[in-house]
Amino acid sequence: MDYINAMVLGVIEGITEFLPISSTGHLLIAEHWAGERSDTFNIVIQAGAILAVTIIYWRRLASLVVGWRQPENRAYAGKLIVAFLITAILGLIAKKLGFALSENVTPIAWALIIGGFWIIAAEWIAAKQRDRVKISWTVAIVVGLAQIVAGIFPGTSRSAATIFAAMLAGTSNRAAATEFAFLVGIPTMFAASAYQLYGEIKQGGGHEDWTALGIAFVVSTFTAFIAVKWLLGYIQSHRFTVFAIYRIIFGAALLGMAALGWVS
């Protein structure tokens, strides 16, 4: 893989991993023109995006650790742990049972379109509720389950599934729902990346262009940092509707390209 392609894929991963528009669909299209990527490459650039979010939320994470004696911090951390454990346990079960769709264009396109309408509906329902920032145990459980759904159905978008699951389950405040979804995503995605990377190494993987991989990792981290920072500011005064419309248009475009045989 040449370095330009590595940079482009790093940018795409960084922008799309935490925005509710699905990184899978975008990387699938990029792969069509940039060439097939190894699983190790995918794992590493995803880790870069996760690192960016960890850096953004390091003060929040530190406050939960340092202030663990405070009941509200213990409760919040407990809910993060519950959501993570639900995802980890059910995710392993789903993997063992083979519950996952293939990463072909058609199911991803439909997941994008359905997810777009899901976002519009979630925003409409949340707007009718009073502003709630509290994360309940119900929200934690639902977010954990939403991560499983996103893992089984490529194109759903983990961030979209978790943010809007939280909003529908009772945390109607977009900023509060987004923060919890992203914080849960940190251990979840690091654990998933480590698990996948271990599997690749165990199977004899590792024949990589490490320079290109390093470039993609750095670019993904930097781009994700900017994208998430922008998103956190944007949702303070805007709904997620623009992302829903984009998903529907992008999903329809993918279906069109698949029908013409341009992608598969």
Side-chain angles (χ1 to χ4, degrees):
M1 173 180 291
D2 64 58
Y3 300 154
I4 298 298
N5 282 346
M7 291 178 65
V8 170
L9 292 171
V11 169
I12 294 172
E13 168 65 23
I15 292 174
T16 61
E17 183 61 53
F18 284 94
L19 298 187
I21 55 176
S22 173
S23 61
T24 305
H26 291 81
L27 288 171
L28 193 67
I29 295 300
E31 180 180 313
H32 183 73
W33 282 283
E36 187 175 354
R37 301 156 290 127
S38 69
D39 288 337
T40 300
F41 184 90
N42 295 339
I43 294 164
V44 170
I45 63 172
Q46 184 183 61
I50 308 165
L51 176 60
V53 173
T54 306
I55 294 170
I56 289 171
Y57 281 109
W58 76 268
R59 287 190 179 86
R60 178 65 167 131
L61 293 168
S63 70
L64 291 174
V65 175
V66 175
W68 68 272
R69 289 188 176 87
Q70 299 175 18
E72 61 272 22
N73 283 340
R74 286 201 303 273
Y76 195 93
K79 290 162 188 171
L80 289 173
I81 292 169
V82 165
F84 168 71
L85 289 177
I86 289 172
T87 302
I89 294 169
L90 294 183
L92 287 173
I93 293 172
K95 189 172 183 64
K96 293 293 183 183
L97 296 177
F99 288 158
L101 294 179
S102 62
E103 293 191 354
N104 294 326
V105 167
T106 300
I108 290 173
W110 280 113
L112 282 162
I113 293 169
I114 293 169
F117 286 109
W118 157 262
I119 291 173
I120 292 171
E123 282 280 19
W124 182 76
I125 293 171
K128 292 183 175 297
Q129 303 175 18
R130 63 183 177 84
D131 190 48
R132 296 173 182 163
V133 299
K134 183 179 180 181
I135 302 295
S136 66
W137 289 102
T138 299
V139 168
I141 293 169
V142 170
V143 167
L145 294 173
Q147 292 195 124
I148 296 297
V149 173
I152 293 175
F153 296 97
T156 301
S157 169
R158 194 206 65 83
S159 60
T162 52
I163 291 169
F164 299 105
M167 288 175 66
L168 290 175
T171 305
S172 57
N173 182 276
R174 285 187 293 275
T178 301
E179 179 184 76
F180 187 78
F182 283 4
L183 289 175
V184 170
I186 292 171
T188 301
M189 294 172 69
F190 268 135
S193 295
Y195 180 82
Q196 291 172 333
L197 190 58
Y198 171 75
E200 284 297 300
I201 294 172
K202 191 176 180 181
Q203 293 175 14
H207 303 291
E208 298 287 337
D209 181 342
W210 293 104
T211 302
L213 200 59
I215 290 171
F217 175 83
V218 171
V219 170
S220 174
T221 303
F222 181 74
T223 309
F225 184 91
I226 295 173
V228 173
K229 274 287 193 180
W230 171 81
L231 179 67
L232 295 177
Y234 178 83
I235 61 174
Q236 295 295 328
S237 56
H238 298 82
R239 294 187 177 186
F240 284 98
T241 309
V242 65
F243 299 107
I245 295 170
Y246 174 81
R247 286 178 65 112
I248 294 168
I249 294 172
F250 183 49
L254 286 180
L255 288 176
M257 286 189 282
L260 293 171
W262 295 353
V263 293
S264 59

